[in-house]
Amino acid sequence: MLPSPLPADFIPFNHPHLAGPELEYIRQAAAAGKLSGNGEFTRRCQQFFEQQYGIAKALLTTSGTAALEMAALLLDIQPGDEVIVPSYTFTSTANAFVLRGARIVFADSCPDHPNLNVVQLEPLITPRTRAIVPVHYGGQACDMAALLALAERHNLWVVEDAAQGIEASYQGRPLGTFGHLAAFSFHETKNLSAGEGGLLAVNDPRLATRAEIIWEKGTNRAAFARGEAARYEWVDIGSSFLPSELNAAYLWAQLEARHAIQQRRQQLWEQYEAALAPLAAAGAFGLLPPSPADTWPNWHLFALLCSDEKERDTLLAHLRRQHILAVFHYLPLHASPYFAARHDGRPLPHAVRFGQTLLRLPLYHDLQSEQQERVVAGIRSFYAAD
Ligand SMILES: *Cc1c(COP(=O)(O)O)cnc(C)c1O
């Protein structure tokens, strides 16, 4: 529990950033008299992704979770189908497929990074496997060349969970453009935000028409609006996946400001790195490995790797006493209360270890340098007293 009221010098884990024109764009959306989805701001956001990222069809959604749920519908995932998902991820990566009745086969992380370990995937594939869902943890690309080759060999769908991957790239192409489908998130804690929001990237053009129908509650409304259908009617299953124009207007301001937002995150990230690398080199804690040469990171998060769970939790409490909110995540999904009894029993030691030892530091656009220095000083004092 956070103290209430918050002390004046409290450093939150995250704070939403206003790039500037968000409220003006929301005013414009309201003045245009169209607040429901698929209006002018939605069109601008989607066009941005189609043109700048080269996505065949981009559909804004109410969340990254909703984009993953759309992906599961679109791939016609049926009860008994198997989907391979890393254990060290947010619930939605797996839950979206569980909602369709899929059996989740959890994969372990790499020894030195939370991303799924592609070299261990092949033995997990069975005749029932339909899809692999790589998560680009912290905006760092999974080994997509190996993963895509494996998927092609076994005729599997690839759905990238690029919720944290906006503006990051792999071999010169943006994350979210490699899988048949990909999900982005614009949740408040992500680099670019709509409050709540997401995007389904349909990279396989064969899936584009049906994606639009599922997006529009199972109707042909979008085609009808373009004059391509004689009647507006129910043609397939779907749900309510469109965000309001108010959210799209907010997101458009963030997309326009993406370079400045990313630049500030990079600066803050590099300041953490410069201040903490010497302590890491002296063995106090670990850091995630630098991005491989063929990838471009997006500075989504800065994490320390403590030596064990007790040390991590003691450090969290130490920082909390100095009014600094650092956080941990994820409790590995294969061992979660919902899934533990359903798991096939394979140990996933690296996912467990990241769940026990990883600690995320405050990293957000409006974090001030003196606040960042306090975070660093808090970590130094913890290890000095050790
Ligand atoms: C944030 C996140 C999601 C969910 O996105 P929402 O927009 O919050 O629904 C899914 N997967 C990962 C890896 C995430 O970080």
Side-chain angles (χ1 to χ4, degrees), residues 63-66 68 89-90 92-93 135 161 163-164 185-187 190 196-197 330:
S63 64
T65 300
L68 289 162
T89 181
F90 188 65
S92 303
T93 318
V135 177
D161 182 337
Q164 303 175 8
S185 168
F186 305 116
H187 183 266
K190 305 303 200 286
E196 299 272 2
Y330 299 109

Side-chain angles (χ1 to χ4, degrees), residues 5-252:
L6 290 174
D9 65 347
F10 184 75
I11 301 175
F13 172 67
N14 182 63
H15 188 265
H17 167 62
L18 269 181
E22 283 88 347
L23 301 181
E24 168 55 21
Y25 291 169
I26 287 174
R27 194 198 61 75
Q28 287 176 19
K34 172 149 173 71
L35 297 182
S36 59
N38 206 7
E40 175 59 20
F41 283 105
T42 299
R43 194 192 58 74
R44 282 190 209 170
C45 292
Q46 292 180 168
Q47 197 175 54
F48 167 86
F49 284 98
E50 289 169 5
Q51 291 178 353
Q52 302 293 313
Y53 280 39
I55 290 166
K57 184 147 204 79
L59 295 169
L60 275 196
T61 56
T62 47
S63 64
T65 300
L68 289 162
E69 289 174 11
M70 274 188 75
L73 282 167
L74 196 44
L75 299 182
D76 243 334
I77 299 296
Q78 299 290 322
D81 286 351
E82 293 178 5
V83 177
I84 299 173
V85 176
S87 179
Y88 190 78
T89 181
F90 188 65
T91 319
S92 303
T93 318
N95 188 67
F97 297 91
V98 169
L99 286 176
R100 309 312 306 157
R103 200 174 88 74
I104 305 298
V105 177
F106 280 114
D108 203 4
S109 298
C110 297
D112 64 344
H113 194 279
N115 278 348
L116 89 181
N117 192 349
V118 178
V119 300
Q120 291 181 339
L121 293 185
E122 194 146 29
L124 305 183
I125 296 172
T126 77
R128 309 206 69 162
T129 308
R130 298 280 320 283
I132 306 177
V133 190
V135 177
H136 303 297
Y137 179 78
Q140 179 150 322
C142 294
D143 180 357
M144 290 309 286
L147 191 141
L148 292 172
L150 180 73
E152 191 167 291
R153 230 170 25 252
H154 293 273
N155 199 21
L156 303 176
W157 297 107
V158 175
V159 180
E160 290 175 85
D161 182 337
Q164 303 175 8
I166 192 90
E167 293 288 280
S169 68
Y170 171 82
Q171 295 182 350
R173 265 170 58 196
L175 299 189
T177 63
F178 292 90
H180 301 92
L181 297 168
F184 290 96
S185 168
F186 305 116
H187 183 266
E188 179 185 306
T189 52
K190 305 303 200 286
N191 292 23
L192 305 181
S193 165
E196 299 272 2
L199 181 113
L200 179 72
V202 183
N203 295 313
D204 183 336
R206 291 173 300 175
L207 299 170
T209 304
R210 189 155 177 260
E212 203 174 53
I213 290 166
I214 290 171
W215 187 58
E216 283 273 24
K217 304 149 187 103
T219 73
N220 61 353
R221 186 189 185 115
F224 177 72
R226 288 192 298 264
E228 295 165 12
R231 286 190 311 228
Y232 165 37
E233 52 196 349
W234 186 16
V235 294
D236 202 333
I237 58 169
S239 192
S240 179
F241 288 115
L242 287 74
S244 150
E245 274 290 286
L246 301 178
N247 294 66
Y250 193 102
L251 179 62
W252 179 244

Side-chain angles (χ1 to χ4, degrees), residues 84 186 219 273 275 306 317 323 327 375:
I84 299 173
F186 305 116
T219 73
E273 160 99 355
C306 298
H323 301 164
V327 302
V375 177

